[in-house]
Each structure stands twice: as C-alpha cells, then as structure tokens.
Amino acid sequence: MPKVGMEPIRKAALVKATILEIGRTGSLDVTVSQIAKRAGMSSALAHHYFGSKEQIFLAAMRHILSLYGAEVRGALAMAEGPRARLTAILRASFTAVNFRREVIGAWLNFYVLAQTVPEAKRLLRVYQARLHTNLVYDLRKLVGARAEEVARGTAAMIDGVYIREALKQQAMPDGTAAAAMALQYLTLELDKTE
Amino acid sequence: MPKVGMEPIRKAALVKATILEIGRTGSLDVTVSQIAKRAGMSSALAHHYFGSKEQIFLAAMRHILSLYGAEVRGALAMAEGPRARLTAILRASFTAVNFRREVIGAWLNFYVLAQTVPEAKRLLRVYQARLHTNLVYDLRKLVGARAEEVARGTAAMIDGVYIREALKQQAMPDGTAAAAMALQYLTLELDKTE
Amino acid sequence: MPKVGMEPIRKAALVKATILEIGRTGSLDVTVSQIAKRAGMSSALAHHYFGSKEQIFLAAMRHILSLYGAEVRGALAMAEGPRARLTAILRASFTAVNFRREVIGAWLNFYVLAQTVPEAKRLLRVYQARLHTNLVYDLRKLVGARAEEVARGTAAMIDGVYIREALKQQAMPDGTAAAAMALQYLTLELDKTE
Amino acid sequence: MPKVGMEPIRKAALVKATILEIGRTGSLDVTVSQIAKRAGMSSALAHHYFGSKEQIFLAAMRHILSLYGAEVRGALAMAEGPRARLTAILRASFTAVNFRREVIGAWLNFYVLAQTVPEAKRLLRVYQARLHTNLVYDLRKLVGARAEEVARGTAAMIDGVYIREALKQQAMPDGTAAAAMALQYLTLELDKTE
DNA sequence: AATGAATGAGGATTCATTCAT
DNA sequence: GATGAATGAATCCTCATTCAT
C-alpha cells in the first residue's frame, strides 16, 4: 500500500503546529523549522506541502477563521429569534475553541500579518464582513436604522476584548467573562431602543 | 570643544523614524538600517545611541505612550465635571496626534512586541492601568459600583476601534467617527444608570 | 533517501581547516567564513554543524588533544621500563604529527582561548593532568618523592619548547632537536638521583 | 599655563591600562575604548597619541620588556660571579614586578601578537636574544661549550613556567616557587659539569 | 589638548528555500 | 513521500578610525 492520503494529515498537523507556535511565542517570528518540528516532520516537507512560509501562515489563518465560522453557524442553528441569535453569535466568539491562549495570540498576529500580506488582509476582511452581515441581519429587526452602527460597535468590542486578553497572558482565558463584557454593550443598545 | 548635544536630537529622530517605519510596513520586521536611514544617519549611530534594536522599539513605545498621556492630561485639564472628563478622555484617545496612520500601525505592533519583550508588556500595562484609573475615578461618581466594569468595557472599546482601524488602511483615519463609536458605548452606560 | 552521513565528514573537514587557519594566521582572529571556505563549504553549513564559532574552536582543540593523547598512548605501548616510558612520552610530544607548524600555532592560541572560554580551560587542564599523571607514574619509580616536582618541571619544559618554536616560524620545526632539549632536562634529573 | 607635557603622562596611562585590560581579559580582544576608559580618557585621544591600536599594543609590549630588562640589569649589578649572576637573572624573571597576574596574561598574548605583527615579533626576538646573550656570557665560564645549549634550555624553562602560570589563574602567582623550578634545571646543568 | 559625533567595514548567526537522493 | 544537505541573503551589532569643534 502506498502511503497515500498523507497530504491532508500533514497539512493539518502543520496548521495546528503553526497556531501553537505563534500562540506560544506570541509573534510571527517563528521559523518553519520550529513549526515543522512540532508537527513531527522536516522543514523541507513543510515547504513541499505549502510552498512557502507565507502559505503556511495563511493556511493557519484560514483554519482559525473557519473554526470561528463553524462555531458561529452552529450556535445560530440552535437560536430562535433575533435577540437569541445575536447572543449566540457573541457567545460563539468566546467559546473554548476560539478563546484559547494560542488562538488569541494567533489572532493578534494575524492582524499584523494582514498589514503585510494582501491575502491575509483579504481573509480578515471576509471575516469582518461576515460578522457584520450576521449582526446586521438580526439587528435590523431590533434597532432598525441603527443596525449598521451597532454592528460596528459590537465588532469593535469583540476585537477589543481579544486584544486585551492577549496582554493578560494568564493560563486560562475566561471566555464567559469576556462574552459577558461584549454582551453588556449589545444589551444596552438593544434595551435603549426597545 | 566637540560638536555636542546631538544625542537628544538623534534619539528623537530615530524614535520618529521608528514609528514611521513600523507604521509604514505595519510590522516589527523593520531593520535598524531602514530606521537609521530614514532618520538620516548610519545604523551604527543608531546602535551607539540606543544599544540595541529592542531599545529603539521601546523608546518608540514610550514616546507614543507619553504622547497619549499628554493628550489625555491636556484634555482633562480643561474638562469640568465627571461626564465632561470622561468624554475628554475618550476624545483625547482619538486626537489627530494619536489617531494617525503610523501611530495606529505602531500601536498594534506594540501589542505584539509586548508578547515577547517584558519591558514592552510592562509599558502597555502601565498605560492600561492609568487609563483604568482615570476612567474609574470619574465613573465612580456616575455609575457607582459598576465603575470597574464600565471602565473595562470602555478600554476594550478603545482598543477594538484602534485595531479595526489598522485593517482599514485608508489614507486618513477618521478620529471623530472613531471617538463617536467609543462615546456611544459610554453614553449608554451612563444614561442607563442615571 | 536523502544524501546522508555527511556530518562526520564535514565536521572533520572543518576541524582540519580550523587548525590550518589558526596555524597559518597564528591567531584566533579567523572568521568562520575563512574556515568554511578552506573546508570547502559555506559558513552557514559550518554553523549548522557546530552551532557557533566557539564550538568549532573547541572541536579543533579536542582534535589536537586527542591526536596528542593517541601519540603518547601509542609510544607508551611499545616502551619497556620506566625510563623508556618517560622517554617515549617526551618523544611523542614532538612527533611529526604534533610538532607541525600549524599545530604549534594552534597550541599557543588554545592557551589564549583557555583564558576566555571555560571549556577550553577545562580541556587544557585535562591534558595537563594526564601528562602529569603519566609522568609521575614512572618518575615515582626513579626519583621517588621528587616525582611531582620533576613532572612539573618536565611539563613546563615541554610547553616552553613549544612556545619558543611558535616564534621561530621556520618552515619545518625540528621535532628531534626539540625532544632532545626536553630529554636533556629529564636525564639530568634522573641521573642526579640514580 | 598651557597644558604641556601631557603626552608622556597620557601615554603611560594608556600603556598601563592596556596591560591591565589584556591581563584581565586574557586576550587581545580588547577594544581601544575599554583601554582608553580605564586610562581615563576618550578613545579618540588614545588614537591621537598612538595612531593605531597596534601601536598601543606595541608600546605596552615595549613597556613590559623594558621593565623586565631593568629588573635583570638591576639584579646583575648586585651579583658577583657567574653562578650568582645566572641565579640573579632567573630570580629577576619572576620578580613581583614581572610575575604579576596581568603581566603574565599580557606576555602570553604578546607571543600571539608576534605571530601577526612583525614589529611584535622583532621585539620578542630582541628580548630572547638579550636573555640568551646574558645567559651565555656567564654559562661559558661554567659549562664551556655547552653554554648555548643550556641557555636555550633555561629560556625554554622560563617561558614554560610563564605559560603554565597563565592557566592557573590563581589570585597571586607564586614567583618564588616559579623561580625555584627554573633554578632547579640550571643547577642540575651546572652541577653536572662542575 | 580633548572629545563627542559619526561611519564603513566586517563578522557571527539565522533562516527560508532548494536539491539530491 | 520524505529528509538531510546546502547556501545566499539578510540582519544585528561591534569597532577602529576619522573629523569637527
């Protein structure tokens, strides 16, 4: 039996290792060798699969963004009514899957990567656009014309909570508390207009 | 008598150049040579005055943080009453001096630097602590026990607005709009309790 | 299957090149690039295998010391009786393998290296201790209580002859004459007590 | 009053500082700045007086060699008879002035310098030649034809004792013991022929 | 006389990337 | 598929030396 189907396994291992390494060091100054080592292979193989370091980073970004997207979709599927849906989106943003030490560190660095690498910027904008659309969709029903504005505020709050968590560097981020902070803002906006 | 007194001039030029370069490239991957060149001197001289690249970065951070501090102090000096003071703090956060393209890019990267360099983390924490104290001081009078919570929310909002601006990369950041977004949150909190 | 097993070959080539370069220039101010070039590879590869310049130097030292050790052991294996053994040790010290231009130059510089690099000092002390032990072992039988003293004198004489040879810088060191000088001292000591 | 006559003072201070620094670090990798700082002046001034680092080193060498020469001359002046004179020369070699920590370290490094800098080699050869002449002069009367040979052996012994002391790096070198070791060899040679 | 200012040249080290096997 | 081998390019940093004052 030929060793087929290794590609997705290897790639997944590299993506995971990349996030861990970026999260661990808190910086993009991670070498391909470090990543490959943690993924249990040679750096040459990493290049073989991804072509370049930049592509490895982008794959890691896509992974995190898709994890996030999945979490949000899952949460939305169970929520009934605009308010519940909005709450679900926010909660999903601070789930244990997303609001982990490494992921938070990676997140911050992806913002930096986006300053340099166009594709990274594009990815981040896609994420922002989706979040915005999702928020506006339900906000429209609750705050009408102010939906856009409130959506922007909410998104800013989410990012702000993330970035501040990155600085705390405590062992275990408290997703619940973080979600509460973001929810607090949203609630104020909603209750004001209701 | 030797040519004398260049040190502060050179250092200031380097700090300025550092912020410009970090802002321009949107990353800490800036070489000392680039910085020195932009500051109109050799990289050797940059090292002579600062000792290391890290120290150059830290000096740039200190500069930005002190600019920010000055702006806040200046605004506070003219404000009467807690509400006006809180508004002043927020407005100061998005003044033309602080909310410039380069500075925003630098800000983001300083958060990254703080993940690696202890002194950078310390500086950022000092900034956060000061902001927190300032906010709580006036919030106490307006929202009482919830002061701490609201202060944290406000700070998160400020950081969130900054980080999102970094991604826009438009020619001229709109400080007024940014301030408005942060103020909106604060207003909601204040009006709720009043 | 990758090209494999180059490490020992490369390392050996680098060690040899290091000794040659130090011997040629008569100083430790040799660049890794020079060494690597002479060894037929890039300086990056030299670092890859040794990690640092210091490690390259230490490897070269170990090589020379082990050559010396082997020479002494070989000579001792064929010698019968304490006097013959002592003579063998001295002769081995000035064998063609050891008493070469480059090796003499390297030797001197290793003494300098030992002033700065602890591991180098340790290596040199190990060499001295072994020589001392070897000498004392046989001297004890011939001069009894004075063995320690005579051993120290002999060792000093060996080092002295080496250092003076370094200054001559003639094309071909005369190992026989050098050995004779050291033997002369030893003979005097032995004959005096006999 | 103009500040005249500073030159010899400055030069002397630099020479002293050079020996101290070389002795302290045990290597020639001493910067002009370090030397100048220890001598209480700027590195620019050091260059002003000596022209180059190499010249500073050479001046330091000359100083040490002349100290040594003076010590020997002084000792010879008081000695009566060939045997006493020879003893005096050896004793002078390990006087407190010469056999100091820094001076020993400097000595070793001057041998290294001599490998690179022709003038340094010349100086060292002059020293060796003088010592040789001095020794032979008196040895001739005591051992006749063997004078040359014994002189070379004695000189080697002196250098050997120095180099080994450099490795000990103990706080206070024991000049008396060192002298005794060299004298022991000489005595053997003399007593053998007498 | 004296020094702060300034730099060019160089050197150790790192790393993404390529290649032969 | 997989990796050890190999390197060019880059970067930080140091330092002897020069210069203007």
Side-chain angles (χ1 to χ4, degrees):
Chain A
M1 267 191 297
K3 234 175 174 179
V4 286
M6 287 305 286
E7 178 155 349
I9 298 173
R10 295 297 199 183
K11 281 193 161 183
L14 283 167
V15 161
K16 191 181 164 192
T18 303
I19 295 167
L20 280 172
E21 283 298 302
I22 293 181
R24 187 177 62 80
T25 66
S27 122
L28 294 173
D29 286 337
V30 175
T31 70
V32 175
S33 294
Q34 280 168 35
I35 294 172
K37 188 173 191 179
R38 182 176 278 250
M41 71 194 82
S42 71
S43 68
L45 194 55
H47 273 93
H48 175 67
Y49 280 124
F50 280 105
S52 76
K53 186 183 185 178
E54 192 171 302
Q55 289 304 317
I56 300 179
F57 278 172
L58 289 174
M61 259 189 93
R62 286 195 200 94
H63 182 71
I64 284 194
L65 291 175
S66 81
L67 273 191
Y68 177 77
E71 201 81 357
V72 170
R73 268 194 310 280
L76 281 179
M78 309 179 143
E80 297 268 333
R83 188 143 194 163
R85 288 171 55 88
L86 289 168
T87 305
I89 293 175
L90 286 197
R91 290 249 164 74
S93 298
F94 301 98
T95 294
V97 188
N98 296 316
F99 209 59
R100 274 175 299 160
R101 187 107 309 283
E102 322 91 72
V103 175
I104 295 167
W107 224 193
L108 173 59
N109 278 284
F110 289 153
Y111 266 95
V112 171
L113 189 65
Q115 310 289 312
T116 317
V117 180
E119 173 66 2
K121 176 178 284 189
R122 201 186 63 76
L123 288 175
L124 228 39
R125 282 190 171 152
V126 168
Y127 143 75
Q128 290 187 340
R130 267 196 217 145
L131 174 60
H132 189 73
T133 308
N134 278 337
L135 292 174
V136 167
Y137 176 79
D138 289 307
L139 282 170
R140 195 86 73 188
K141 303 170 190 165
L142 300 171
V143 302
R146 295 195 54 250
E148 294 277 338
E149 187 191 341
V150 177
R152 277 196 300 275
T154 307
M157 185 60 100
I158 293 176
D159 279 2
V161 170
Y162 259 86
I163 206 181
R164 292 182 84 79
E165 188 69 34
L167 206 63
K168 285 191 196 157
Q169 205 105 13
Q170 64 190 16
M172 261 283 289
D174 184 349
T176 315
M181 182 171 287
L183 276 169
Q184 160 72 2
Y185 165 71
L186 186 63
T187 308
L188 286 173
E189 289 282 12
L190 299 186
D191 292 350
K192 168 193 172 195
T193 335
E194 261 171 17
Chain B
M1 277 159 289
K3 190 177 175 188
V4 90
M6 292 304 286
E7 178 156 349
I9 298 172
R10 294 300 198 182
K11 280 193 163 184
L14 283 167
V15 161
K16 191 180 164 192
T18 303
I19 295 167
L20 279 171
E21 284 297 303
I22 292 180
R24 186 177 63 77
T25 66
S27 124
L28 296 173
D29 285 337
V30 175
T31 69
V32 174
S33 293
Q34 280 168 34
I35 295 171
K37 189 171 190 179
R38 181 175 280 250
M41 71 194 80
S42 70
S43 67
L45 195 55
H47 275 100
H48 174 67
Y49 282 124
F50 280 106
S52 75
K53 188 183 182 177
E54 190 171 303
Q55 289 304 316
I56 299 179
F57 279 170
L58 289 173
M61 256 188 95
R62 286 194 201 95
H63 181 70
I64 285 192
L65 292 175
S66 83
L67 275 191
Y68 177 76
E71 201 79 357
V72 169
R73 269 194 308 280
L76 281 180
M78 308 178 145
E80 298 269 332
R83 187 144 193 159
R85 289 171 52 89
L86 288 168
T87 305
I89 292 175
L90 284 197
R91 289 250 164 72
S93 298
F94 300 98
T95 295
V97 189
N98 296 316
F99 208 60
R100 274 176 298 160
R101 187 110 304 286
E102 323 89 72
V103 175
I104 295 167
W107 243 154
L108 174 58
N109 278 285
F110 290 155
Y111 266 95
V112 171
L113 190 65
Q115 309 290 312
T116 316
V117 181
E119 173 67 2
K121 175 177 283 189
R122 199 186 64 78
L123 288 174
L124 228 38
R125 284 193 170 147
V126 168
Y127 144 74
Q128 289 188 341
R130 269 197 215 145
L131 175 59
H132 189 74
T133 308
N134 278 336
L135 292 174
V136 166
Y137 177 79
D138 289 306
L139 281 170
R140 195 85 74 187
K141 303 170 190 164
L142 300 171
V143 301
R146 295 196 54 250
E148 294 277 340
E149 187 190 340
V150 176
R152 275 197 299 275
T154 307
M157 187 59 103
I158 294 175
D159 279 2
V161 170
Y162 260 87
I163 204 180
R164 292 182 85 79
E165 189 68 34
L167 205 63
K168 285 192 194 155
Q169 203 104 10
Q170 65 189 17
M172 259 284 288
D174 183 349
T176 317
M181 182 172 289
L183 276 170
Q184 162 71 2
Y185 165 70
L186 185 62
T187 309
L188 286 174
E189 289 281 13
L190 299 187
D191 291 350
K192 169 191 170 195
T193 333
E194 262 173 18
Chain C
M1 276 158 292
K3 193 178 176 185
V4 89
M6 292 305 287
E7 178 155 350
I9 298 172
R10 294 301 199 183
K11 280 193 162 182
L14 283 167
V15 160
K16 190 180 164 192
T18 303
I19 295 166
L20 279 171
E21 283 299 304
I22 293 181
R24 186 178 62 80
T25 65
S27 123
L28 295 173
D29 285 336
V30 175
T31 69
V32 174
S33 292
Q34 280 168 34
I35 294 171
K37 190 171 189 177
R38 181 176 280 251
M41 70 193 83
S42 71
S43 67
L45 194 55
H47 274 98
H48 174 66
Y49 282 123
F50 279 106
S52 76
K53 188 182 183 176
E54 190 172 302
Q55 289 304 317
I56 299 179
F57 279 170
L58 289 173
M61 258 189 93
R62 285 193 200 96
H63 181 71
I64 285 192
L65 292 175
S66 81
L67 274 191
Y68 177 77
E71 203 80 358
V72 170
R73 267 195 310 281
L76 281 179
M78 312 181 141
E80 298 268 333
R83 189 143 191 160
R85 288 170 55 89
L86 289 167
T87 306
I89 293 175
L90 286 198
R91 289 250 164 74
S93 298
F94 300 98
T95 294
V97 189
N98 296 317
F99 208 60
R100 275 176 298 160
R101 184 110 308 285
E102 321 90 74
V103 175
I104 295 167
W107 217 205
L108 173 59
N109 278 285
F110 289 153
Y111 265 95
V112 171
L113 189 66
Q115 310 290 312
T116 317
V117 180
E119 173 66 2
K121 174 176 285 187
R122 199 186 65 76
L123 287 175
L124 229 38
R125 284 192 170 149
V126 167
Y127 143 74
Q128 290 188 342
R130 270 197 214 146
L131 175 60
H132 188 74
T133 308
N134 278 335
L135 292 174
V136 166
Y137 176 78
D138 289 307
L139 282 170
R140 196 86 71 187
K141 302 171 189 165
L142 300 172
V143 301
R146 294 195 54 249
E148 294 276 339
E149 188 189 342
V150 176
R152 275 197 298 274
T154 307
M157 185 60 100
I158 294 176
D159 279 0
V161 170
Y162 259 87
I163 205 179
R164 291 182 88 79
E165 188 68 33
L167 205 63
K168 286 190 195 158
Q169 203 105 11
Q170 66 190 18
M172 260 282 289
D174 184 350
T176 315
M181 181 172 287
L183 277 170
Q184 161 72 1
Y185 165 70
L186 185 62
T187 308
L188 286 173
E189 288 282 13
L190 299 187
D191 291 350
K192 168 192 170 197
T193 333
E194 262 171 19
Chain D
M1 266 189 295
K3 233 177 178 179
V4 286
M6 287 305 284
E7 179 154 347
I9 298 173
R10 293 297 199 184
K11 281 194 164 185
L14 282 167
V15 160
K16 189 180 165 193
T18 302
I19 295 166
L20 279 172
E21 284 298 304
I22 292 180
R24 186 177 61 80
T25 65
S27 122
L28 294 173
D29 285 337
V30 175
T31 70
V32 174
S33 294
Q34 281 168 33
I35 294 171
K37 188 173 190 178
R38 183 176 279 249
M41 70 195 81
S42 70
S43 69
L45 194 55
H47 272 94
H48 175 66
Y49 280 123
F50 280 104
S52 75
K53 187 182 183 177
E54 192 172 302
Q55 290 304 317
I56 300 178
F57 278 171
L58 289 173
M61 259 188 93
R62 286 194 199 94
H63 181 71
I64 283 193
L65 292 174
S66 82
L67 274 190
Y68 177 77
E71 201 80 357
V72 170
R73 270 194 308 280
L76 282 179
M78 308 177 143
E80 298 269 334
R83 188 148 192 155
R85 287 170 56 88
L86 288 168
T87 304
I89 292 175
L90 285 197
R91 288 250 164 73
S93 297
F94 300 99
T95 294
V97 188
N98 296 317
F99 209 60
R100 275 176 297 160
R101 186 109 306 283
E102 323 89 74
V103 175
I104 295 168
W107 248 146
L108 173 59
N109 279 286
F110 289 154
Y111 266 95
V112 171
L113 190 66
Q115 310 289 313
T116 317
V117 181
E119 173 67 2
K121 176 178 283 188
R122 200 187 63 77
L123 288 174
L124 227 39
R125 284 193 169 146
V126 167
Y127 142 76
Q128 290 187 342
R130 270 199 213 140
L131 175 59
H132 189 73
T133 309
N134 278 336
L135 291 174
V136 167
Y137 176 80
D138 288 308
L139 280 170
R140 195 86 73 189
K141 303 171 190 162
L142 299 172
V143 301
R146 294 196 57 250
E148 293 276 339
E149 187 191 341
V150 175
R152 275 197 300 276
T154 307
M157 185 61 100
I158 294 176
D159 279 1
V161 169
Y162 258 87
I163 205 180
R164 293 181 84 80
E165 188 69 32
L167 206 63
K168 285 193 195 155
Q169 203 104 15
Q170 65 190 16
M172 261 283 288
D174 183 349
T176 315
M181 181 172 288
L183 277 170
Q184 161 71 2
Y185 165 70
L186 186 63
T187 309
L188 286 173
E189 289 281 12
L190 300 186
D191 291 350
K192 169 191 171 196
T193 335
E194 259 172 17

